[in-house]
Amino acid sequence: MRILKLLLIFPILIGCSSENENTNENVSKYTGNYQIISYKSDIEVDLNDDNIASSELIKEIDYYFIEGFPDFEIRPNADTQNEAKLVSLFLPKTNITFQDPGKPQGKVMFSRYGFTSTFNFKNNNFILNDDQYLESDYIDNVHSNRKTIIDSEINIIDETHLKMKLSKEYYDFKTKKWSLLNILIILKKID
């Protein structure tokens, strides 16, 4: 009877491990570093105070998007011992002051703000376990938090491109207020 139970359980164990190996093999095709090549909003905004509004935010966020510099990473990488399935994402964070005498309408700069989440790989998509974060900031010595909500699915376009969606607030000089933007991101693998 014991042998019969073992014979029934053994194929199930083999089936589970090969499915897990296939998932790991599929994930490994996409691990590595990516760069944002498109950061497109659903509305046109003027984020850099040049009096030109655009929906392609790469044109609006000065000195941030540097070719060859990673904005996104999928792990585990082949050269690491840690098998944790992680994604790391760096997005432009608005740093603004209204106390600059030369720019009383607001002086803006952008810095990198990071987010990390574990993920599952299902139906050829990365499913994030965490899908939001809070940007803690001070604007002219007043505490100001901005929430970023990321669509939990990161879609594979092809072998070297991914796409994801998020909602994030940026200061729009055209309307002179913070605007919640729905943003489509296209990522290109750089290594």
Side-chain angles (χ1 to χ4, degrees):
M1 189 66 161
R2 274 188 165 165
I3 293 174
L4 183 60
K5 285 181 183 178
L6 286 174
L7 288 174
L8 290 173
I9 292 173
F10 187 69
I12 293 171
L13 292 175
I14 290 174
C16 291
S17 69
S18 67
E19 181 181 311
N20 203 18
E21 286 171 13
N22 286 341
T23 299
N24 288 339
E25 187 176 303
N26 287 338
V27 168
S28 69
K29 290 192 296 190
Y30 303 104
T31 59
N33 292 305
Y34 291 77
Q35 183 171 16
I36 295 173
I37 59 169
S38 179
Y39 196 61
K40 195 165 199 151
S41 170
D42 58 336
I43 59 172
E44 289 189 347
V45 289
D46 179 11
L47 303 184
N48 59 0
D49 195 23
D50 66 354
N51 295 315
I52 301 170
S54 176
S55 60
E56 179 51 75
L57 302 182
I58 287 177
K59 296 176 183 177
E60 291 296 321
I61 300 174
D62 298 330
Y63 309 110
Y64 180 84
F65 297 100
I66 301 167
E67 189 163 339
F69 200 79
D71 302 303
F72 184 79
E73 180 183 22
I74 301 175
R75 288 180 171 227
N77 289 328
D79 60 346
T80 61
Q81 299 273 336
N82 189 339
E83 292 294 315
K85 293 180 182 175
L86 296 172
V87 295
S88 298
L89 173 65
F90 291 92
L91 295 172
K93 174 186 167 191
T94 303
N95 299 302
I96 192 166
T97 181
F98 296 97
Q99 295 180 344
D100 186 314
K103 291 229 175 210
Q105 75 278 16
K107 181 178 181 180
V108 69
M109 294 175 18
F110 297 94
S111 60
R112 294 171 62 81
Y113 203 88
F115 165 79
T116 301
S117 175
T118 56
F119 68 86
N120 293 309
F121 190 73
K122 192 183 262 184
N123 299 327
N124 233 18
N125 291 306
F126 295 91
I127 312 298
L128 301 181
N129 294 324
D130 298 308
D131 62 358
Q132 57 186 302
Y133 67 91
L134 200 60
E135 286 183 356
S136 182
D137 198 8
Y138 285 88
I139 299 172
D140 297 332
N141 297 321
V142 177
H143 195 251
S144 173
N145 290 332
R146 305 268 169 225
K147 186 184 276 191
T148 299
I149 301 170
I150 300 169
D151 188 348
S152 60
E153 259 188 39
I154 299 172
N155 308 112
I156 296 168
I157 297 173
D158 59 34
E159 294 268 328
T160 58
H161 294 87
L162 306 173
K163 77 174 175 180
M164 61 188 301
K165 297 176 185 173
L166 59 90
S167 297
K168 184 168 173 33
E169 285 183 287
Y170 282 104
Y171 187 81
D172 181 9
F173 283 94
K174 184 172 79 174
T175 61
K176 296 180 180 30
K177 65 180 184 177
W178 290 92
S179 296
L180 182 64
L181 307 179
N182 296 311
I183 301 170
L184 174 65
I185 301 174
I186 305 294
L187 299 151
K188 180 181 179 184
K189 193 168 188 178
I190 57 175
D191 70 10

